[in-house]
């Protein structure tokens, strides 16, 4: 369906929207400055962005109206759309779980009313486990459904669980689904050479942003006599960059290192004689 520009759906609000926009901007794509703007064209990036309700994105992509989209795995599965997952994006993590008054279990839900905003996902789960319950479909937050007498239990997306506890509800049973933000593609995307190439380019950029979140750049000065011990701590990927300093007998070293170890690594480098140690954030990185 694509003529020249790749058509990509982006969540227009909520935590998924914030993460998606930040990631696309870090990947070098234009993003809207006006939240009321529904379509934004980035001719340099070769992409046309459509800002839609997160729940609708899987349907648009699944029907082939748009080429790619960013949504949650839970929303894709709930929609029943035929779109396929391309990659995880590293944000928007959540779990879909049961909650209700203390004492409930999965088995005790048989014959009860369960309020949810994800009837497709929940219905499939209950059928798989042989539980026959009546689903009450609500649009949005469902925490009040039990207190208002609409349901006996709920199934909802949980982040920290604070909202549920404030409503006097308790989580029970195993998580129904662990979800995260994903990039999805229309079912026939593999048959379109233009989409394949454009999607490969987009994926490479997004991969670069994801990798950059896991690594930092470390620079330091070290006496040449201590260089072997220091570079053993910072081997980099193909090897660290080592350059002689104006100060005789000293070198400057630069290497890519895992973010999670950066602070400990600074301590270790200092202990072996490194000085002027700098850690630099990355916006994008391709390995």
């Amino acid at each position: 369906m694509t003529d020249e520009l790749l058509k990509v759906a982006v969540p227009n609000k909520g935590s998924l929207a914030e993460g998606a926009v930040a990631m696309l901007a870090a990947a070098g794509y234009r993003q809207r400055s006006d939240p009321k703007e529904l379509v934004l064209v980035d001719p340099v990036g070769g992409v046309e962005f459509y800002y839609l309700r997160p729940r609708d994105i899987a349907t648009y992509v699944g029907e082939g109206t748009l080429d790619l989209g960013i949504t949650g795995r839970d929303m894709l599965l709930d929609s029943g759309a035929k779109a396929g997952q391309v990659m995880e994006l590293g944000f928007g993590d959540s779990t879909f779980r049961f909650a209700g008054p203390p004492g409930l279990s999965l088995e005790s839900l048989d014959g009860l009313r369960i309020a949810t905003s994800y009837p497709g996902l929940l219905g499939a789960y209950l059928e798989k486990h042989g539980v026959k319950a009546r689903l009450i479909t609500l649009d949005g937050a469902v925490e009040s459904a039990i207190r208002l007498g609409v349901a006996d239990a709920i199934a909802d997306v949980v982040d920290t669980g604070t909202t549920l506890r404030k409503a006097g509800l308790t989580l029970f049973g195993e998580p129904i689904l662990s979800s995260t933000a994903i990039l999805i593609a229309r079912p026939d995307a593999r048959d379109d050479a233009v989409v394949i190439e454009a999607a490969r380019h987009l994926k490479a950029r997004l991969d670069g942003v994801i990798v950059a979140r896991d690594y930092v750049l470390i620079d330091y000065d070290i006496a040449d006599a201590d260089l072997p011990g220091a570079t053993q701590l910072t081997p980099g990927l193909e090897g660290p960059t080592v350059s002689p300093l104006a100060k005789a007998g000293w070198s400057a070293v630069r290497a890519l290192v895992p973010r999670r170890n950066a602070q400990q690594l600074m301590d270790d480098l200092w202990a072996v004689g490194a000085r002027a140690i700098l850690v630099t954030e990355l916006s994008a990185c391709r390995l």
Side-chain angles (χ1 to χ4, degrees), residues 213-220 233-234 255-270 277-281:
R213 292 173 177 173
D214 293 332
Y215 288 88
V216 292
L217 203 59
I218 194 162
D219 293 88
Y220 57 90
L233 293 171
T234 58
L256 201 63
V257 299
R259 175 188 297 273
R260 65 181 182 278
N261 298 328
Q263 291 298 325
Q264 181 62 51
L265 186 55
M266 292 179 75
D267 294 340
D268 296 341
L269 286 170
W270 185 270
I277 306 171
L278 303 176
V279 173
T280 305
E281 297 279 345

Side-chain angles (χ1 to χ4, degrees), residues 127-169:
E127 182 177 359
K128 177 181 177 181
H129 288 81
V131 176
K132 296 182 180 180
R134 178 185 168 199
L135 302 190
I136 307 296
T137 303
L138 299 176
D139 185 14
V142 297
E143 296 89 357
S144 301
I146 297 176
R147 181 165 54 88
L148 295 175
V150 175
D152 305 299
I154 68 170
D156 200 12
V157 171
V158 178
D159 185 6
T160 63
T162 302
T163 303
L164 293 176
R165 286 192 293 272
K166 287 182 178 178
L169 304 179

Side-chain angles (χ1 to χ4, degrees), residues 30-280:
R30 288 183 59 204
Q31 289 300 292
R32 62 181 183 173
S33 55
D34 183 355
K36 295 182 180 179
E37 197 170 3
L38 301 179
V39 181
L40 183 142
V41 178
D42 181 356
V44 176
V47 179
E48 194 169 21
F49 293 108
Y50 291 80
Y51 297 89
L52 304 168
R53 290 179 68 242
R55 281 186 164 279
D56 296 337
I57 288 175
T59 300
Y60 280 106
V61 176
E63 291 297 318
T65 306
L66 301 176
D67 301 313
L68 300 172
I70 294 175
T71 188
R73 181 184 290 123
D74 52 355
M75 296 179 187
L76 171 63
L77 295 176
D78 185 63
S79 70
K82 297 179 180 179
Q85 177 176 324
V86 176
M87 63 185 291
E88 293 186 358
L89 299 176
F91 66 89
D93 293 348
S94 65
T95 56
F96 186 52
R97 302 200 59 176
F98 289 112
L104 286 178
S105 65
L106 175 62
E107 295 74 19
S108 68
L109 292 175
D110 207 72
L112 299 185
R113 300 166 301 166
I114 308 174
T116 187
S117 298
Y118 296 79
L121 182 57
L122 178 59
Y125 182 86
L126 293 176
E127 182 177 359
K128 177 181 177 181
H129 288 81
V131 176
K132 296 182 180 180
R134 178 185 168 199
L135 302 190
I136 307 296
T137 303
L138 299 176
D139 185 14
V142 297
E143 296 89 357
S144 301
I146 297 176
R147 181 165 54 88
L148 295 175
V150 175
D152 305 299
I154 68 170
D156 200 12
V157 171
V158 178
D159 185 6
T160 63
T162 302
T163 303
L164 293 176
R165 286 192 293 272
K166 287 182 178 178
L169 304 179
T170 303
L171 296 174
F172 66 90
E174 295 296 320
I176 301 168
L177 176 75
S178 293
S179 183
T180 190
I182 56 176
L183 180 69
I184 60 175
R186 60 186 173 90
D188 61 343
R190 293 181 180 180
D191 301 327
D192 192 323
V194 175
V195 172
I196 291 174
E197 183 56 34
R200 184 181 294 118
H201 184 66
L202 173 65
K203 183 178 183 298
R205 287 196 181 190
L206 296 181
D207 276 330
V209 175
I210 292 173
V211 171
R213 292 173 177 173
D214 293 332
Y215 288 88
V216 292
L217 203 59
I218 194 162
D219 293 88
Y220 57 90
D221 298 341
I222 189 81
D224 290 343
D226 300 321
L227 188 58
T231 54
Q232 189 173 11
L233 293 171
T234 58
L237 296 181
E238 282 74 36
T241 300
V242 181
S243 307
L245 288 174
K247 182 179 179 180
W250 280 71
S251 295
V253 180
R254 166 173 283 190
L256 201 63
V257 299
R259 175 188 297 273
R260 65 181 182 278
N261 298 328
Q263 291 298 325
Q264 181 62 51
L265 186 55
M266 292 179 75
D267 294 340
D268 296 341
L269 286 170
W270 185 270
V272 299
R275 297 295 181 265
I277 306 171
L278 303 176
V279 173
T280 305

